[in-house]
Amino acid sequence: MPIQARIPRTLLLADAAWRLGPRALGHYGLHRLSLASGQAARRLADAVAPGGPFLADLPPPAAPLPPQAWQAKLRARLAVLPPPRHHGAFDPLAPALGMDLFRPGDVRPVWEAGRLACLPQLAQAARLWPEEGHQAALEARLAAWCAANPPFRGPHWACGQEAALRALHLALALALLGQDRALAPGARDVLALHARRIGATTHYAQAQDNNHSISEPAGLFACGLLLGDAALREGGARALSAALARLVAADGGFAQVSTGYHRLLLDVLAIVEWLRRRHGAPAFPAPFAERAAAAARWLAGLVAPDGALPRLGHQDGSAFADLALAGPDDASGSIERAMRLFAGASAGFAEEPGCGWLALPAAPGFTPPTFWRAAGSMGWRRDGAHALLRTGPLRFRPGQADLLHFELWDGATPVLTDAGTGAYNPAPADRWWLAYFSSAAAHNTITFDEREPMPRAGRFLHARWPRLTPLPDGAALRDAHGHRHARRVSAEGRLWRV
């Protein structure tokens, strides 16, 4: 690369680093030092793959009685489970910490399969139809996964957040089967290995200031809870509450302004809170309860009657702990579960089947406000329509150049909507997605002379963030080129003016 090209990129990286701040940079520096010194690798020295039994030979508890349509959906899910050995283009025996997670291909589908979302589904099936062998299938699935993924090698051990989400799915499955209080030896070994993996790169998680900072301490808490390790459980609880205090504002706005990742935030918080209550563990330190309730109400204000959400910010197509089998396009189960647990209210999905599996009691209805403002966004509801405006201030890094993007839905029908994400690492022929879907040009905002307001400094990093100013009915920005854009929104009945 010519030196003339390197200098501007260096300046962009320096600008982005300055905006991220000393805390994030400090944690990232400590992470890099841990890798360079070999400390992280020593913590993840090769270990023996767990063997069975992973489950005790006990009959599962009686099941609730979900609707027949839901039972048919569960049978359809079980018929198309992902393969237990799935590594895509990635070497399953390579040391996990040194892997290139982008050049070989898209690691997201690999990670999605490795989250073992099928474990709670097999637990549900074992309770509904105990004579059909689904508990044995869950045992076999765990055995096959452990054999195919030696500890701390391959793509499934490369990311602390993926290990945390997998541990949470296992903890949920064990709880659904009533086997979370006296673990079988194999399950104990699996959770202990996952706790080691998460704990090896905690500085990386804290440097991200996003879902990593939430999911990874949540995973440590769940591992400590089920393993009976009080120090691990309490450390995870403290780190989780501290992350929530930093990343979720009192008004419910999340540092990662994305409806998809906000949903994942709520799903993770809901599962650890349900596990905590089930085990009678001490409440999470303040402000966990207050911030979790505010985050639940924020997303409840955006959901459509059919469970759809605006595709604001990065979306990865996940549906974590999907006990309702609703899939990534229907967030009703996630929002209803979080609202009942944290806000003591219903988001309007009283018959949501996932809450039945967790035995969450019915709750009074929640009426979203007609106007709200939160960190990073503001919204309106009028006569069956709802709208969202992406605002500032930018305390945390923006995932997309979507500032002043305006989203308008009429009931379940999107009128003005986000283009979505595409993929994090698409095939070479579709590599243009990376720049396009996160650009201002792909959103309902304006550009000046077709110039993007924020140049890219990396795959998930923008530089030269615009300055944002709140307005009573909208927001205004000024970008690094000196361009100013003010957007105001008013709604009178069915008449919207932008």
Side-chain angles (χ1 to χ4, degrees):
M1 180 186 295
I3 190 169
Q4 294 90 341
R6 288 201 300 270
I7 291 175
R9 175 164 171 76
T10 301
L11 292 176
L12 289 179
L13 286 171
D15 177 90
W18 173 71
R19 295 172 192 279
L20 291 174
R23 181 190 177 280
L25 293 178
H27 278 297
Y28 187 70
L30 290 171
H31 167 69
R32 297 297 301 178
L33 181 62
S34 175
L35 294 179
S37 67
Q39 179 184 4
R42 287 191 293 273
R43 294 190 68 178
L44 299 181
D46 286 343
V48 177
F54 298 95
L55 301 174
D57 187 16
L58 298 171
L65 293 176
Q68 288 297 320
W70 183 92
Q71 295 185 40
K73 188 182 292 187
L74 177 59
R75 289 199 179 277
R77 287 285 187 92
L78 296 177
V80 291
L81 294 180
R85 304 168 189 267
H86 182 49
H87 305 102
F90 299 89
D91 183 356
L93 299 179
L97 289 183
M99 295 191 71
D100 182 342
L101 296 175
F102 292 101
R103 194 171 304 164
D106 192 351
V107 75
R108 273 290 305 125
V110 176
W111 280 349
E112 191 68 39
R115 290 180 179 180
L116 297 182
C118 61
L119 298 186
Q121 296 169 13
L122 286 166
Q124 289 172 307
R127 290 178 60 178
L128 277 171
W129 310 298
E131 72 285 354
E132 294 184 6
H134 297 289
Q135 187 162 310
L138 197 161
E139 171 85 21
R141 169 70 54 153
L142 279 170
W145 190 91
C146 290
N149 298 280
F152 317 132
R153 291 185 172 270
H156 293 301
W157 293 101
C159 175
Q161 175 167 240
E162 295 305 315
L165 297 177
R166 185 164 52 248
L168 287 166
H169 271 145
L170 174 57
L172 176 59
L174 292 170
L176 289 172
L177 291 174
Q179 300 202 22
D180 53 325
R181 292 188 174 93
L183 301 182
R188 175 171 290 276
D189 291 343
V190 171
L191 289 173
L193 287 170
H194 280 72
R196 274 180 62 187
R197 172 60 193 91
I198 301 164
T201 53
T202 54
H203 284 297
Y204 179 84
Q206 293 181 67
Q208 298 307 298
D209 276 338
N210 61 16
N211 259 296
H212 285 261
S213 310
I214 301 291
S215 303
E216 296 188 35
L220 289 176
F221 170 83
C223 290
L225 185 71
L226 269 66
L227 291 170
D229 186 328
L232 185 61
R233 183 197 74 214
E234 292 167 7
R238 286 193 303 270
L240 176 57
S241 296
L244 210 61
R246 174 174 171 79
L247 301 178
V248 176
D251 53 32
F254 182 37
Q256 200 170 5
V257 186
S258 154
T259 48
Y261 283 119
H262 199 110
R263 176 184 179 181
L264 179 60
L265 162 79
L266 293 180
D267 285 334
V268 167
L269 297 180
I271 293 305
V272 294
E273 173 65 10
W274 181 76
L275 288 169
R276 182 199 69 76
R277 295 184 188 183
R278 176 177 166 82
H279 283 251
F284 290 107
F288 178 93
E290 168 200 327
R291 299 296 169 88
R297 286 190 289 265
W298 185 88
L299 203 61
L302 291 175
V303 67
D306 62 354
L309 289 170
R311 291 178 293 182
L312 180 70
H314 280 312
Q315 308 284 315
D316 66 5
S318 295
F320 176 74
D322 186 17
L323 297 177
L325 307 179
D329 295 328
D330 181 353
S332 57
S334 300
I335 296 170
E336 183 69 20
R337 176 170 61 192
M339 285 293 291
R340 291 196 200 184
L341 278 166
F342 299 123
S346 169
F349 305 102
E351 304 303 318
E352 193 279 316
C355 290
W357 284 98
L358 301 181
L360 300 182
F366 166 70
T367 302
T370 57
F371 172 77
W372 51 260
R373 187 188 295 271
S377 63
M378 59 195 303
W380 299 258
R381 278 188 174 264
R382 298 285 191 282
D383 290 358
H386 60 280
L388 173 74
L389 180 66
R390 172 74 166 98
T391 66
L394 290 181
R395 182 184 169 200
F396 301 97
R397 57 174 165 155
Q400 298 186 349
D402 58 356
L403 299 169
L404 302 193
H405 164 80
F406 182 68
E407 186 101 9
L408 178 63
W409 288 57
D410 187 15
T413 303
V415 180
L416 300 171
T417 188
D418 198 307
T421 296
Y424 286 164
N425 193 25
D430 298 322
R431 201 57 54 88
W432 60 271
W433 290 0
L434 292 174
Y436 175 73
F437 283 104
S438 64
S439 70
H443 291 89
N444 292 324
T445 184
I446 65 171
T447 59
F448 294 86
D449 301 324
E450 300 182 356
R451 298 180 72 178
E452 283 293 315
M454 291 189 289
R456 274 184 172 273
R459 185 180 293 269
F460 302 113
L461 188 62
H462 290 86
R464 308 182 75 184
W465 305 351
R467 296 180 181 178
L468 287 119
T469 305
L471 301 173
D473 51 357
L477 68 78
R478 183 180 295 275
D479 65 22
H481 308 299
H483 301 136
R484 183 177 185 275
H485 176 199
R487 173 160 279 179
R488 301 173 183 273
V489 179
S490 68
E492 301 171 7
R494 300 281 290 170
L495 176 62
W496 291 76
R497 289 187 176 92
V498 184

